Coordinates of all heavy atoms in Angstrom, one line a residue:
L4 N 1.9 -13.2 2.5 CA 2.3 -12.1 1.6 C 2.2 -10.7 2.2 O 2.9 -9.8 1.9 CB 1.6 -12.1 0.3 CG 1.8 -13.4 -0.6 CD1 0.8 -13.3 -1.8 CD2 3.2 -13.5 -1.0
I8 N 4.3 -7.5 0.8 CA 3.7 -6.6 -0.3 C 2.6 -5.6 0.2 O 2.1 -4.9 -0.5 CB 3.2 -7.4 -1.5 CG1 2.1 -8.3 -1.2 CG2 4.3 -8.2 -2.2 CD1 1.4 -9.0 -2.4
I16 N -4.7 -8.6 -5.0 CA -4.3 -9.8 -5.7 C -5.3 -10.9 -5.4 O -5.6 -11.7 -6.3 CB -2.9 -10.2 -5.3 CG1 -1.8 -9.2 -5.8 CG2 -2.5 -11.6 -5.7 CD1 -1.6 -9.2 -7.2
G26 N -3.7 -18.1 -10.3 CA -3.0 -18.4 -8.9 C -2.5 -17.1 -8.3 O -2.1 -16.2 -9.1
T27 N -2.4 -17.0 -7.0 CA -1.9 -15.7 -6.4 C -0.4 -15.6 -6.8 O 0.0 -14.4 -7.1 CB -2.1 -15.8 -4.9 OG1 -1.5 -16.9 -4.3 CG2 -3.5 -15.7 -4.5
A28 N 0.4 -16.6 -6.7 CA 1.8 -16.5 -7.0 C 2.0 -16.0 -8.5 O 2.8 -15.1 -8.8 CB 2.5 -17.8 -6.9
E29 N 1.2 -16.5 -9.4 CA 1.2 -16.1 -10.8 C 0.9 -14.6 -10.9 O 1.6 -13.9 -11.6 CB 0.2 -16.8 -11.6 CG 0.1 -16.4 -13.0 CD -1.1 -17.1 -13.8 OE1 -1.6 -18.1 -13.2 OE2 -1.4 -16.7 -14.9
L30 N 0.0 -14.1 -10.2 CA -0.4 -12.6 -10.2 C 0.7 -11.8 -9.6 O 1.0 -10.7 -10.1 CB -1.7 -12.4 -9.6 CG -2.9 -13.0 -10.3 CD1 -4.2 -12.9 -9.5 CD2 -3.2 -12.4 -11.7
V31 N 1.3 -12.3 -8.5 CA 2.4 -11.5 -7.9 C 3.5 -11.4 -8.8 O 4.1 -10.4 -9.0 CB 2.8 -12.2 -6.5 CG1 4.1 -11.6 -6.0 CG2 1.7 -12.0 -5.5
R32 N 3.9 -12.5 -9.5 CA 5.0 -12.5 -10.5 C 4.6 -11.5 -11.6 O 5.5 -10.8 -12.1 CB 5.2 -13.8 -11.0 CG 6.0 -14.8 -10.1 CD 6.3 -16.1 -10.8 NE 6.7 -17.1 -9.8 CZ 5.9 -18.0 -9.4 NH1 4.7 -18.2 -9.9 NH2 6.4 -18.9 -8.5
K33 N 3.4 -11.6 -12.1 CA 3.0 -10.8 -13.3 C 3.1 -9.3 -13.0 O 3.5 -8.6 -13.8 CB 1.5 -11.1 -13.7 CG 1.0 -10.4 -14.8 CD -0.4 -10.8 -15.2 CE -0.9 -10.0 -16.3 NZ -2.3 -10.3 -16.6
E34 N 2.8 -8.9 -11.7 CA 2.8 -7.5 -11.4 C 4.2 -7.2 -10.8 O 4.5 -6.0 -10.4 CB 1.8 -7.2 -10.3 CG 0.4 -7.3 -10.8 CD -0.7 -6.7 -10.0 OE1 -0.3 -5.9 -9.0 OE2 -1.8 -7.0 -10.2
Q35 N 5.2 -8.1 -10.8 CA 6.5 -7.9 -10.3 C 6.6 -7.3 -8.9 O 7.4 -6.4 -8.7 CB 7.3 -7.1 -11.4 CG 7.4 -7.7 -12.7 CD 8.1 -6.9 -13.7 OE1 8.3 -5.7 -13.6 NE2 8.5 -7.5 -14.9
L36 N 5.7 -7.8 -8.0 CA 5.7 -7.3 -6.7 C 6.8 -8.0 -5.9 O 7.3 -7.4 -4.9 CB 4.4 -7.5 -6.0 CG 3.2 -6.8 -6.7 CD1 1.9 -7.3 -6.1 CD2 3.3 -5.3 -6.5
L37 N 7.2 -9.1 -6.2 CA 8.3 -9.8 -5.7 C 9.1 -10.6 -6.7 O 8.5 -11.0 -7.8 CB 7.8 -10.9 -4.6 CG 7.1 -10.3 -3.4 CD1 6.4 -11.4 -2.7 CD2 8.1 -9.6 -2.5
S38 N 10.4 -10.9 -6.5 CA 11.1 -11.7 -7.4 C 10.7 -13.1 -7.3 O 10.1 -13.5 -6.3 CB 12.6 -11.6 -7.1 OG 13.0 -12.2 -5.9
N39 N 11.0 -13.9 -8.2 CA 10.8 -15.4 -8.1 C 11.4 -16.0 -6.9 O 10.7 -16.8 -6.2 CB 11.2 -16.1 -9.4 CG 10.4 -15.8 -10.6 OD1 9.2 -15.5 -10.4 ND2 11.0 -16.0 -11.8
E40 N 12.6 -15.6 -6.6 CA 13.3 -16.1 -5.4 C 12.6 -15.7 -4.1 O 12.4 -16.6 -3.2 CB 14.7 -15.6 -5.4 CG 15.6 -16.2 -6.5 CD 16.9 -15.5 -6.6 OE1 17.1 -14.4 -6.1 OE2 17.8 -16.1 -7.3
E41 N 12.2 -14.4 -4.0 CA 11.5 -14.0 -2.8 C 10.2 -14.8 -2.6 O 9.9 -15.2 -1.5 CB 11.2 -12.5 -2.9 CG 12.4 -11.6 -2.8 CD 12.1 -10.2 -3.2 OE1 11.4 -9.9 -4.1 OE2 12.6 -9.3 -2.4
L42 N 9.4 -14.8 -3.7 CA 8.2 -15.5 -3.6 C 8.3 -17.0 -3.2 O 7.6 -17.5 -2.4 CB 7.5 -15.4 -5.0 CG 6.0 -15.8 -5.0 CD1 5.2 -15.0 -4.0 CD2 5.5 -15.5 -6.4
A43 N 9.3 -17.7 -3.8 CA 9.6 -19.0 -3.4 C 9.8 -19.2 -2.0 O 9.4 -20.1 -1.3 CB 10.7 -19.6 -4.3
T44 N 10.7 -18.3 -1.5 CA 11.1 -18.3 0.0 C 9.8 -18.1 0.9 O 9.7 -18.9 1.8 CB 12.1 -17.4 0.3 OG1 13.3 -17.6 -0.5 CG2 12.6 -17.3 1.8
L46 N 6.7 -18.5 0.2 CA 5.6 -19.5 0.1 C 6.1 -21.0 0.4 O 5.4 -21.9 0.2 CB 4.9 -19.4 -1.3 CG 4.3 -18.1 -1.6 CD1 3.7 -18.2 -3.0 CD2 3.2 -17.8 -0.6

Side-chain angles (χ1 to χ4, degrees):
L4 295 174
I8 65 172
I16 292 289
T27 55
E29 176 186 347
L30 293 171
V31 169
R32 283 187 196 101
K33 182 179 176 183
E34 293 193 17
Q35 299 179 345
L36 296 171
L37 295 168
S38 70
N39 287 336
E40 293 168 345
E41 291 170 316
L42 192 57
T44 300
L46 298 179

